[in-house]
Amino acid sequence: MAGTSLLVFGDQLSSEVPLLESLEGPDHRVVLIEPGHLTDSSRHPLRRAFYRLAMRAFADELRARGVEVDLRGSPTFSEGLRRHREHFRPERVVASRPRGRRAENWCRESGVELLEDPFMLTDYQWFDRWVDRSPRRTLESFYRLQRQRTGYLMDGDQPCGGRWNFDQENRHPLPKGGGEWPDPWSHPLDDVERRVVAEVDLDHLTPALSYWPRTRAHALDQLRDALERIIPSFGPFEDAASRSNWHLAHSRLSVALNTGLLHPREVLDGVESHFRAGEIPLASAEGFVRQVLGWREWVAAWHRHRSAEYRASNALGARRPLPQAWENLESHPMACLDAVLSHVREYGWAHHIERLMVLTNAATLAGYDPVAVNDWMARTFLDGAEWVMEANVIGMGLFADGGRTATKPYVSGGNYLDTMTDFCGSCRFSPRERTGESACPLTTLYWQFFVDHDEALARVNRVAPIRRSAATRPDRLEIAERASRARQWVDGVIEDPVDGRGGLGNVAE
């Protein structure tokens, strides 16, 4: 045997890559490797089951088209590729350029020929040139250029509605009573899929797996459903969150996008056409386009532009280890963390506000090590990946890069969550109290954060008033005294006042 082998990673499951057409013949094949680290127990069980289903469905789809597929399990990618080469002896092994830096380096070291990445919209050479020459390398300036370059939501050379940004219309708190939300898209597992998850004793996950697209047909159906029922309501409440509803009006298309089952262009085309037909309001359309054409492309481009050293960024000197309550997605004594961790535990996913304003907000205030938080989210979320999480977590979420991604730390006390969500009403803590046993740990740590990091934040103009206020508060000594115990609460572990044993906080204490 000889010919060409196309190596496909688990986030490249597109049957519409142009190269595949040339592989429909003898001596050419696709190789899919299920490495042990993608299916080991450190990863969310839903993630392990999902990727197994998606990769096997992709292999079946290619075989039905007449493409030879070598789908093999292996302890590592290197071992799997070595065995493939021994068996098929291909003249060349090629791959679409991975979005992740480490995967790309592995390909180069392994003699895999890299082709252009067909899964993104941004020309990375253009991005590098823009970074080198632009004095304002902000998301907003990038996003406007993206709109102008692609024509999405543009009327000639002007943005639709005469504005680039509809954030003011898209910051409504959760409606009183929780609101009414469309049911999330789902598709039941078929008999073949049920057998696959039963093979690895994960059949109890079948109900949760049904919420995620495992095939190209599923992904297209989810996109149709999102355009018709969900995205029209996305904008106004995109910054809200609910204890009892894990999805609200979020499309949940990130999983299909990040596995290659959907291309961002077809998602954006769908939003554009539905907006032009009057079926999606402009504020919702703009907010959604900003997420896909702006932020998603932005973090991918920065990941490729930056060197591997970026991953070690720790501008705030955060060193505390991620607690077991978080690692294991356990019940939590704080209502906001309990709600979001339960959403991740049950569905392998949480929407962007739960990630930013609950998880990484709490992690920043508690001082968790950035790499630990980044890697936990990458292996826990179904849409997690190296390129996705690095700028999102290390940059924006934790401000560990000192402002290279975000213009300010995204931190808040309990008051913000009390305004935007229904978490606080069921919590033992008061979001408005900074000190005392009833004080919200996030509120205490919010004020202490600006004292502890006063020097590191000295050049961040957007937080200057808060820094001054934190340094001169009359209760600043009481806040500092309460901070240590507040960190324990965020950890999900406090010291039992009776016998001194560590354990989950008792909400009745």
Side-chain angles (χ1 to χ4, degrees):
M1 295 186 184
T4 298
S5 292
L6 173 63
L7 175 63
V8 175
F9 293 95
D11 61 352
Q12 299 176 335
L13 304 182
S14 172
S15 58
E16 300 184 14
V17 173
L19 181 64
L20 282 171
E21 297 178 1
S22 66
L23 298 179
E24 296 178 5
D27 300 331
H28 304 294
R29 66 209 61 85
V30 167
V31 55
L32 289 159
I33 300 171
E34 289 183 345
H37 77 268
L38 284 183
T39 56
D40 67 30
S41 59
S42 70
R43 296 177 182 259
H44 196 299
L46 266 174
R47 184 180 173 93
R48 284 146 46 200
F50 170 79
Y51 274 94
R52 183 178 292 262
L53 291 176
M55 292 178 75
R56 295 191 181 192
F58 180 65
D60 290 343
E61 181 181 352
L62 294 181
R63 288 175 181 136
R65 287 176 44 178
V67 177
E68 183 178 5
V69 178
D70 178 25
L71 173 62
R72 60 175 63 234
S74 176
T76 65
F77 275 115
S78 296
E79 179 65 12
L81 182 58
R82 183 187 68 79
R83 292 177 181 175
H84 173 82
R85 280 175 162 149
E86 284 183 354
H87 183 80
F88 292 96
R89 302 199 177 280
E91 294 175 355
R92 58 201 286 249
V93 177
V94 301
S96 297
R97 183 179 176 183
R99 277 152 278 165
R101 188 186 303 115
R102 286 181 285 183
E104 180 180 343
N105 290 340
W106 174 83
C107 285
R108 297 187 188 281
E109 293 167 358
S110 302
V112 176
E113 179 184 339
L114 293 180
L115 309 174
E116 286 304 308
D117 179 3
F119 294 94
M120 304 299 288
L121 295 171
T122 301
D123 181 310
Y124 296 111
Q125 292 181 338
W126 168 85
F127 182 82
D128 291 343
R129 292 193 299 270
W130 175 73
V131 168
D132 290 341
R133 68 173 183 259
S134 176
R136 286 184 55 79
R137 298 174 294 179
T138 63
L139 170 63
E140 184 64 28
S141 57
F142 171 80
Y143 169 63
R144 294 185 184 190
L145 284 173
Q146 290 282 79
R147 293 266 298 275
Q148 292 168 333
R149 186 174 64 86
T150 61
Y152 288 115
L153 299 186
M154 298 291 293
D155 288 330
D157 60 355
Q158 295 299 311
C160 291
R163 293 164 52 191
W164 295 102
N165 189 313
F166 286 81
D167 278 355
Q168 292 302 319
E169 286 86 341
N170 292 347
R171 289 175 174 166
H172 291 248
L174 190 74
K176 292 188 182 300
E180 296 184 4
W181 308 101
D183 292 335
W185 176 93
S186 66
H187 192 285
L189 273 65
D190 60 27
D191 291 341
V192 173
E193 291 178 311
R194 288 176 180 273
R195 285 195 294 271
V196 170
V197 295
E199 287 174 7
V200 287
D201 296 324
L202 295 175
D203 47 316
H204 62 288
L205 301 174
T206 295
L209 282 166
S210 70
Y211 288 109
W212 304 108
R214 289 86 60 195
T215 70
R216 168 69 170 163
H218 293 165
L220 289 172
D221 190 54
Q222 187 191 19
L223 173 59
R224 175 201 56 76
D225 181 74
L227 292 169
E228 293 175 0
R229 296 194 308 117
I230 298 173
I231 297 175
S233 302
F234 168 69
F237 300 101
E238 65 175 291
D239 282 2
S242 170
R243 182 179 185 87
S244 59
N245 190 294
W246 63 284
H247 50 81
L248 300 183
H250 292 269
S251 73
R252 301 183 305 112
L253 293 175
S254 59
V255 173
L257 282 165
N258 290 0
T259 52
L261 293 173
L262 287 178
H263 193 281
R265 182 175 290 105
E266 61 192 341
V267 174
L268 293 165
D269 285 348
V271 173
E272 176 84 16
S273 64
H274 279 69
F275 160 69
R276 298 292 181 183
E279 296 165 355
I280 297 179
L282 179 55
S284 288
E286 189 279 315
F288 190 85
V289 167
R290 179 181 293 269
Q291 297 289 324
V292 178
L293 182 62
W295 185 253
R296 186 173 185 270
E297 295 281 323
W298 169 256
V299 301
W302 272 118
H303 179 77
R304 283 193 170 162
H305 181 83
R306 288 165 172 158
S307 66
E309 286 72 27
Y310 178 84
R311 176 177 159 82
S313 300
N314 197 348
L316 300 179
R319 305 292 181 195
R320 299 185 70 231
L322 195 70
Q324 287 302 304
W326 288 49
E327 286 276 9
N328 300 331
L329 303 174
E330 297 171 359
S331 298
H332 198 282
M334 294 171 59
C336 58
L337 283 167
D338 187 56
V340 178
L341 290 173
S342 73
H343 294 166
V344 180
R345 181 174 64 246
E346 293 175 31
Y347 304 106
W349 186 88
H351 61 73
H352 70 271
I353 286 301
E354 293 185 332
R355 301 187 200 200
L356 179 65
M357 299 312 300
V358 178
L359 294 178
T360 58
N361 175 40
T364 304
L365 296 177
Y368 297 152
D369 178 80
V371 172
V373 179
N374 181 84
D375 291 356
W376 169 70
M377 295 186 82
R379 66 177 179 265
T380 301
F381 285 81
L382 287 181
D383 57 7
E386 177 191 20
W387 69 273
V388 172
M389 292 302 174
E390 196 174 78
N392 273 295
V393 178
I394 292 174
M396 187 179 192
L398 302 179
F399 203 71
D401 67 3
R404 293 164 64 187
T405 299
T407 56
K408 67 171 184 176
Y410 277 84
V411 292
S412 76
N415 279 332
Y416 176 84
L417 293 180
D418 191 32
T419 299
M420 301 300 294
T421 79
D422 61 3
F423 296 146
C424 301
S426 59
C427 191
R428 61 157 289 167
F429 298 109
S430 169
R432 290 170 176 77
E433 294 183 30
R434 297 177 296 275
T435 62
E437 285 302 303
S438 296
C440 172
L442 298 182
T443 302
T444 302
L445 294 175
Y446 174 77
W447 290 103
Q448 189 61 33
F449 174 83
F450 291 101
V451 173
D452 291 342
H453 302 294
D454 181 73
E455 184 176 349
L457 300 175
R459 296 184 179 180
V460 183
N461 295 330
R462 294 183 66 185
V463 300
I466 300 295
R467 286 177 47 242
R468 289 192 294 269
S469 180
T472 58
R473 291 203 67 85
D475 58 353
R476 61 188 180 278
L477 295 181
E478 290 88 344
I479 290 172
E481 183 178 352
R482 172 69 174 166
S484 177
R485 189 165 176 82
R487 293 187 187 96
Q488 289 182 307
W489 280 114
V490 175
D491 292 350
V493 178
I494 64 165
E495 187 173 293
D496 189 296
V498 177
D499 59 15
R501 293 179 300 177
L504 280 178
N506 181 354
V507 297
E509 180 183 336

